[in-house]
Amino acid sequence: MGAQQVAERFAELYGARPEGVWAAPGRVNLIGEHTDYNDGFVMPFALPHQAVAAVSRRTDGLLRLHSADIGGGITELRPDDLAPGGDHDWTAYPAGVVWALREAGHEITGADIHLASTVPTGAGLSSSAALEVVIALALNDLYDLGLKGWRLARLCQRAENVYVGAPTGIMDQTASACCEAGHALFLDTRDLSQRQIPFDLAAEGLRLLVVDTQVKHAHSGGEYGKRRAGCEKGAALLGVDALRDIPYDGLDAALARLGDEEEVVRLVRHVVTENERVERTVALLRAGEPRAIGPVLTEGHASLRDDFRISCPELDLVVDTALAGGALGARMTGGGFGGSAIVLTEAADVDTLTKSVEEAFAAAGFTAPRVFEAVPSAGARRLV
């Protein structure tokens, strides 16, 4: 849905044109999974799929929310009454952003908001972060808060962690807020330092496919939280602030110190090796060798499947089928337990690989996947 359509629908709902229209994208994480809440390295890029919000300020202490995607009428809330745990549907995300901004000392006196999104939900593509960031950017502009993209991302993460109750790291919100078209974002999640790494696969005759398995997942579910708690336990046992502090060349010694803590050993091994894979991917892209990142992606999937244990049969089938069909590399992406996989391939092989994956899913009796090309796109911005 375009900016004009969203603005027109806003006018139908609220009786006046919005003060502006903003957009924030979903993201694909190229490499660096479950490293963000371990102070590690990640490398996402923004998708063309985005959440769009038409917004106007209110001065009467009323927050009115409407979604084109969920259905139903306008939800009315009062910013003064917002508190963590009070919302249990989609409104928790925009309400959580308002709560986080106000908690940080920013005077938000209310708003009328109409939202529409093309980011698939439950697909590991950060639909919730896109929703949070577009609201934060709109209120930042309308209330002249002067907050930079990284700061908005921090506030959105707090909204999701505390208000919504999902223990996510900082990557998703930062990617939505800060990515640039034609680039992947090399982000150090400890200090939020960023480098935009050129990532123009089309110019190299390559494509990156996203395969949405249609298996839904929820970050606020218990398994994600268990992995995070296990990582924190590993850091405590090893006497470091975060697993990021374990050097790659010191991994074997660190694992030996963990003794018979088998589950913690697996989690630590994944995080430390995944950080190294991010650094290796950056080096290869900067050296102009995009094809060489394919095996690194595949290594990452094996680690997520065998050590972190967050894959599922559908994700494994995508990876195995793509590799058997000649893909350069493939891996699951996102929080796991469903969602999407990515496939790096020569442009000429896109149709063949897509057909192979679709046929494999049909033969296995799985729901047909959704396959589309991931094009590195612009981050959050004002449209109107």
Side-chain angles (χ1 to χ4, degrees):
M1 185 175 290
Q4 186 63 29
Q5 291 173 292
V6 173
E8 289 174 355
R9 180 59 176 145
F10 179 99
E12 293 172 3
L13 290 164
Y14 298 117
R17 297 282 295 182
E19 291 185 78
V21 180
W22 290 259
R27 66 96 187 97
V28 161
N29 193 23
L30 181 63
I31 193 76
E33 220 64 79
H34 288 268
T35 50
D36 58 345
Y37 55 79
N38 289 291
D39 282 1
F41 305 126
V42 295
M43 200 175 182
F45 63 89
L47 289 168
H49 307 75
Q50 58 191 13
V52 179
V55 186
S56 288
R57 288 168 290 183
R58 297 183 67 90
T59 59
D60 59 356
L62 191 62
L63 176 64
R64 299 199 293 181
L65 305 169
H66 185 269
S67 170
D69 310 300
I70 305 301
I74 296 170
T75 298
E76 294 191 357
L77 303 169
R78 290 199 170 274
D80 287 345
D81 298 334
L82 298 179
D87 305 89
H88 302 286
D89 57 16
W90 71 271
T91 62
Y93 296 98
V97 171
V98 173
W99 170 83
L101 286 167
R102 286 166 59 90
E103 187 200 39
H106 303 291
E107 186 177 358
I108 308 297
T109 56
D112 286 338
I113 298 172
H114 171 60
L115 288 152
S117 179
T118 58
V119 185
T121 59
L125 303 176
S126 297
S127 58
S128 60
L131 183 57
E132 292 156 0
V133 170
V134 74
I135 298 300
L137 180 62
L139 296 176
N140 181 61
D141 288 355
L142 289 175
Y143 282 93
D144 197 24
L145 304 181
L147 300 174
K148 301 295 185 183
W150 69 267
R151 179 59 178 154
L152 291 176
R154 277 289 193 207
L155 289 166
C156 289
Q157 182 200 15
R158 180 158 179 76
E160 187 148 357
N161 289 173
V162 179
Y163 195 92
V164 178
T168 57
I170 189 62
M171 174 182 66
D172 296 350
Q173 292 85 0
T174 305
S176 186
C178 300
C179 278
E180 294 181 3
H183 293 77
L185 179 69
F186 177 38
L187 173 67
D188 182 334
T189 64
R190 170 163 284 172
D191 61 10
L192 296 189
S193 60
Q194 305 174 18
R195 271 193 285 166
Q196 300 287 345
I197 308 298
F199 192 54
D200 186 0
L201 293 178
E204 301 289 338
L206 298 173
R207 297 292 187 272
L208 191 76
L209 302 179
V210 174
V211 182
D212 177 3
T213 65
Q214 305 287 342
V215 177
K216 302 301 181 183
H217 71 148
H219 271 171
S220 54
E223 290 301 317
Y224 185 99
K226 288 179 184 177
R227 300 308 188 280
R228 182 164 186 165
C231 290
E232 292 169 354
K233 180 179 179 180
L237 289 172
L238 293 168
V240 293
D241 291 336
L243 293 184
R244 182 261 184 71
D245 296 314
I246 305 300
Y248 181 70
D249 59 8
L251 176 59
D252 289 342
L255 297 183
R257 290 169 55 198
L258 291 172
D260 61 358
E261 294 277 359
E262 181 182 350
E263 183 176 357
V264 177
V265 164
R266 290 189 287 100
L267 298 178
V268 171
R269 182 165 54 220
H270 166 72
V271 172
V272 175
T273 58
E274 186 79 346
N275 278 326
E276 188 274 338
R277 282 186 284 271
V278 177
E279 293 185 293
R280 205 179 343 150
T281 299
V282 171
L284 289 168
L285 290 177
R286 289 172 66 89
E289 300 180 31
R291 284 173 175 80
I293 74 171
V296 186
L297 303 183
T298 305
E299 286 176 30
H301 182 77
S303 182
L304 289 162
R305 180 192 64 212
D306 301 336
D307 274 344
F308 231 67
R309 299 187 182 182
I310 58 170
S311 190
C312 66
E314 291 85 351
L315 289 168
D316 292 340
L317 183 60
V318 174
V319 172
D320 293 344
T321 303
L323 294 175
L328 297 170
R331 75 172 190 91
M332 58 154 287
T333 186
F337 313 107
S340 299
I342 55 174
V343 177
L344 180 67
T345 178
E346 301 287 350
D349 295 335
V350 167
D351 291 343
T352 300
L353 283 175
T354 300
K355 183 178 179 182
S356 295
V357 170
E358 291 172 344
E359 290 177 345
F361 268 55
F366 295 153
T367 300
R370 177 187 181 212
V371 184
F372 60 92
E373 183 182 346
V375 179
S377 301
R381 62 211 181 276
R382 185 169 186 162
L383 300 178
V384 177

